[in-house]
Amino acid sequence: MLLSFPNWLIHISSSLEWGIAAALMYHYGQLRGRKDIKRLGLFMLPHWIGSWFVLAYHVSGDTIPLLLDLSETVNLFGSLFLLWATIGILNTIKATREAGAMGALMLLPLIAGRPASFMGEDIFDLILQVSSIVYISFLVTLLMIRKRDSGLLSGLTVGGFWFVLVFISVTVFCMYLATEVRGYASLSHDDLLHGGAESLLCLSNLMIVLGIHRQIKSFKQGG
């Protein structure tokens, strides 16, 4: 296995945090009697499952690219489910005039040194690109929910979901440094850069957890 023990702790922690966040979101929906928020918690589970495929890929010593493909495919459906859930929440909130237009962003996952794909690079790239667009649409919907009802979801939770983009951007840059500058076969071979990038995902998931916990505590005190 390529990962050091501290790097394994970071990877496992980030996965566990997302699972805890899903459970807390579901519990928050139960407390508020909101099926739509419970649905959001349930629809966080595909991304959690996808994270375990990534862990299995690292357990294999990065030798089974099919596991990465499965992770990306599951994450695509997970992002679609998250978008579906937030649109459902948005539809329950009285609409107000939206100031200005929110632009869509595109992530550019076509990067040098990425792992080979079992299904072929074209399909792998397509899955990444579509998943990125869908996830960003989910993020924009979260902002619209915050604008219409700032007390429904914590700003820290919304910020945590958005911070995933920082993780992705830094990971792309670290992959370039590891493969093109430092000469490693992949980012996994550069333990320091790999662990540093993954720690940002750990941080984003922690923000989501703490934000939901804050909302639960606030609702119980207010109730």
Side-chain angles (χ1 to χ4, degrees):
M1 292 186 288
L2 298 175
L3 275 61
S4 66
F5 180 69
N7 212 335
W8 272 113
L9 289 179
I10 294 171
H11 277 70
I12 293 173
S13 294
S14 65
S15 180
L16 290 177
E17 286 169 356
W18 185 271
I20 292 171
L24 286 175
M25 185 68 79
Y26 185 86
H27 178 56
Y28 177 53
Q30 283 183 315
L31 289 176
R32 297 198 60 142
R34 298 278 302 253
K35 291 183 179 180
D36 49 356
I37 297 179
K38 288 168 58 179
R39 187 183 302 119
L40 177 58
L42 288 175
F43 285 177
M44 291 175 67
L45 292 179
H47 277 285
W48 185 62
I49 294 171
S51 70
W52 290 101
F53 280 116
V54 174
L55 289 174
Y57 174 70
H58 289 316
V59 168
S60 74
D62 292 14
T63 59
I64 308 178
L66 175 61
L67 292 171
L68 272 189
D69 294 330
L70 290 174
S71 173
E72 293 300 337
T73 303
V74 169
N75 286 342
L76 170 58
F77 284 101
S79 295
L80 287 168
F81 288 153
L82 289 178
L83 179 59
W84 178 16
T86 50
I87 290 175
I89 295 173
L90 192 64
N91 287 336
T92 67
I93 307 172
K94 184 178 179 181
T96 58
R97 285 189 177 182
E98 304 293 342
M102 291 186 175
L105 301 176
M106 284 280 292
L107 296 182
L108 300 177
L110 303 177
I111 48 181
R114 66 180 180 275
S117 170
F118 179 83
M119 296 188 295
E121 290 186 355
D122 291 340
I123 296 178
F124 187 65
D125 290 341
L126 179 62
I127 290 174
L128 282 173
Q129 292 171 19
V130 173
S131 183
S132 299
I133 294 171
V134 174
Y135 185 79
I136 291 173
S137 300
F138 155 69
L139 294 179
V140 172
T141 309
L142 280 179
L143 290 182
M144 295 172 68
I145 291 172
R146 278 284 297 173
K147 184 173 182 179
R148 294 184 184 182
D149 186 354
S150 60
L152 187 61
L153 295 175
S154 168
L156 185 60
T157 293
V158 174
F161 282 116
W162 271 89
F163 197 78
V164 172
L165 297 186
V166 177
F167 156 71
I168 294 173
S169 301
V170 172
T171 299
V172 169
F173 181 63
C174 287
M175 289 180 73
Y176 171 78
L177 288 179
T179 58
E180 300 299 321
V181 178
R182 292 165 64 86
Y184 287 101
S186 70
L187 179 58
S188 296
H189 290 78
D190 193 324
D191 199 68
L192 181 60
L193 287 178
H194 190 192
E198 185 69 20
S199 65
L200 296 178
L201 181 59
C202 200
L203 176 59
S204 70
N205 292 348
L206 182 60
M207 290 169 63
I208 296 170
V209 168
L210 293 177
I212 302 172
H213 180 265
R214 177 185 295 176
Q215 287 296 105
I216 291 174
K217 184 178 179 181
S218 176
F219 182 77
K220 286 182 176 179
Q221 291 176 345

